[in-house]
C-alpha cells in the first residue's frame, strides 16, 4: 500500500502567514465552487473542525460575492458527538462563524443526527450519517468515484493535528484501516471530546480535490514526517482523485528539509 500511496503526488505551497493560508484556501474554494456549480449545478464541500472554522470567514469578503451559495451542499469529514448546540460541535462552531452568514439552504447543511448527538451515541450517528450520504448519492447530488460506488465529494478542506491525525483518524487507532464503511466512529479519541464520527480513508481519498491547510509550529514535526512519507501518520495517506494539495504557513513548514 505504501508504494501505491507514494506514487500519488502530494503537492504543497508554503505561505508567509496563517492569514495568507486562509485567504488562499478561500480562493481555492471559490474557484472550485464556480467550476462545479457550472458543470453540475451543485457543489459538495466537506469541512473539518479546528482552526479551519475561523479561516472560512475569508469567503465572506466582497471578492467572493458571486458565490452560488444556494448550490452548496455542506458535510463534515468528522464531527464531535456532542449536542448540536455544544461549544465543541463542529457544526455549531461553523454555523456561528460562517454558515449563518451565507444563504446556503438549511436543508443543504448536513449535521449529524440531532438525537444521537444529544445522547452521545457515536455508533448511531455514524450509521445515520452514512445512510444520509447514500441517499444523496442516489439522488445524484453526490457523485460516485468511478465504478466503486463510493461517494466522491468535490472538495474537502482538512486540517492536521500535531500527532498527524486528519479527520478523526488517529495514529495507532484501528479506524484508519476501515475499508468497507463510509463513516465510522471512535469513542476514545486522543483529541477531546472523545466521541466522534469520521469519514473513512477510502471516502476521504475519493474526493476530487483535497486541500490540507496546516499552520503553526506545533505541526512542524508532523509535516516533516508526512513529506518523508511516514505512513504511520494518517495524514501522510491523504490522496485525491484530481489534486491533494497542502497549504502550509512558514511555521508549519519550518522542519521541511528545504526550509531548514
Ligand atoms: O474536529 C476536529 O477536531 C477536526 O476535524 C480535526 O481533525 C482537526 O482538523 C485537526 O485536529 C486540526 O485541528 P487544528 O486546525 O485546530 O490544528
Amino acid at each position: 500500500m505504501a508504494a501505491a500511496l507514494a506514487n500519488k503526488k502530494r503537492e504543497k505551497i508554503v505561505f508567509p502567514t496563517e492569514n495568507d493560508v486562509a485567504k488562499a484556501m478561500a480562493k481555492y474554494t471559490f474557484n472550485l465552487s464556480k467550476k462545479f456549480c457550472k458543470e453540475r449545478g451543485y457543489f459538495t464541500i466537506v469541512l473539518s473542525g479546528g482552526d479551519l472554522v475561523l479561516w472560512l470567514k475569508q469567503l465572506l469578503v466582497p471578492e467572493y460575492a458571486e458565490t452560488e451559495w444556494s448550490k452548496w451542499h455542506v458535510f463534515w469529514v468528522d464531527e464531535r458527538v456532542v449536542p448540536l448546540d455544544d461549544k465543541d460541535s463542529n457544526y455549531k462552531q461553523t454555523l456561528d462563524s460562517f454558515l449563518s452568514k451565507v444563504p446556503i439552504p438549511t436543508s443543504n447543511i448536513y449535521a449529524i443526527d440531532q438525537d444521537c448527538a444529544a445522547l452521545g451515541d457515536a455508533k448511531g450517528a455514524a450509521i445515520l450519517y452514512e445512510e444520509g450520504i447514500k441517499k444523496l448519492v442516489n439522488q445524484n447530488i453526490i457523485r460516485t468515484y468511478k465504478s466503486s460506488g463510493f461517494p466522491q465529494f468535490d472538495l474537502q478542506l482538512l486540517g492536521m493535528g500535531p500527532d498527524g491525525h486528519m479527520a478523526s483518524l488517529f495514529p495507532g487507532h484501528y479506524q484508519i484501516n476501515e475499508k468497507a464503511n463510509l463513516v465510522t466512529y471512535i469513542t476514545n479519541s486522543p483529541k477531546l471530546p472523545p466521541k466522534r464520527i469520521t469519514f473513512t480513508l477510502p471516502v476521504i481519498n475519493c474526493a476530487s480535490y483535497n486541500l490540507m491547510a496546516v499552520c503553526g509550529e506545533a505541526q512542524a514535526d508532523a509535516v516533516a514526517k508526512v513529506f518523508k512519507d511516514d505512513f504511520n501518520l494518517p495524514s501522510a495517506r491523504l490522496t485525491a482523485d484530481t489534486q491533494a494539495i497542502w497549504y502550509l504557513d512558514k511555521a508549519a513548514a519550518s522542519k521541511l528539509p528545504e526550509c531548514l
Side-chain angles (χ1 to χ4, degrees), residues 5-256:
L5 286 169
N7 287 336
K8 286 252 187 177
K9 205 164 163 258
R10 184 189 299 120
E11 299 174 46
K12 71 167 182 311
I13 303 180
V14 180
F15 296 89
T17 66
E18 178 173 333
N19 198 38
D20 295 321
V21 169
K23 280 185 178 167
M25 191 188 83
K27 190 171 185 185
Y28 190 87
T29 303
F30 173 75
N31 287 337
L32 286 176
S33 162
K34 213 165 151 182
K35 167 185 157 64
F36 284 105
C37 288
K38 192 171 168 207
E39 285 174 12
R40 305 186 60 235
Y42 298 118
F43 181 49
T44 57
I45 177 165
V46 181
L47 307 176
S48 48
D51 293 339
L52 187 98
V53 171
L54 297 173
W55 301 337
L56 288 169
K57 281 188 190 157
Q58 291 291 346
L59 275 163
L60 304 174
V61 301
E63 205 179 331
Y64 304 132
E66 285 163 27
T67 306
E68 293 184 87
W69 300 111
S70 64
K71 297 182 177 167
W72 279 40
H73 288 259
V74 180
F75 305 83
W76 276 268
V77 72
D78 70 336
E79 177 59 289
R80 297 97 181 259
V81 183
V82 293
L84 295 184
D85 59 357
D86 189 295
K87 65 171 181 26
D88 278 333
S89 158
N90 286 339
Y91 164 78
K92 178 182 165 44
Q93 289 180 9
T94 316
L95 191 68
D96 291 350
S97 70
F98 167 63
L99 291 172
S100 58
K101 299 177 172 52
V102 290
I104 300 174
T106 316
S107 56
N108 292 2
I109 297 175
Y110 304 94
I112 60 171
D113 178 76
Q114 194 175 348
D115 295 333
C116 292
L119 293 167
D121 177 4
K123 185 177 178 183
I127 292 171
L128 292 177
Y129 211 68
E130 174 157 336
E131 277 176 13
I133 286 170
K134 286 180 174 163
K135 273 190 202 145
L136 293 165
V137 165
N138 288 335
Q139 293 167 25
N140 275 326
I141 291 172
I142 303 174
R143 289 173 293 131
T144 44
Y145 177 73
K146 296 180 181 158
S147 58
S148 70
F150 267 74
Q152 178 165 51
F153 293 94
D154 299 331
L155 169 65
Q156 284 178 131
L157 299 175
L158 300 153
M160 178 181 75
D163 58 354
H165 79 260
M166 67 172 173
S168 285
L169 301 174
F170 292 88
H173 286 257
Y174 67 85
Q175 288 81 2
I176 185 71
N177 298 317
E178 174 61 53
K179 301 269 188 299
N181 292 321
L182 309 182
V183 183
T184 189
Y185 66 100
I186 181 166
T187 53
N188 60 347
S189 161
K191 180 177 178 182
L192 297 176
K195 292 184 188 175
R196 291 152 172 263
I197 68 160
T198 180
F199 281 3
T200 56
L201 190 64
V203 172
I204 292 175
N205 283 349
C206 279
S208 294
Y209 294 84
N210 272 323
L211 171 55
M212 171 68 90
V214 186
C215 293
E217 215 182 326
Q219 269 88 330
D221 281 320
V223 168
K225 285 184 187 166
V226 166
F227 281 86
K228 273 191 207 148
D229 284 343
D230 179 346
F231 294 117
N232 292 314
L233 276 63
S235 297
R237 304 199 197 182
L238 179 68
T239 62
D241 189 25
T242 304
Q243 183 175 47
I245 188 157
W246 288 61
Y247 280 6
L248 307 170
D249 73 347
K250 267 192 177 163
S254 59
K255 294 196 175 161
L256 290 171

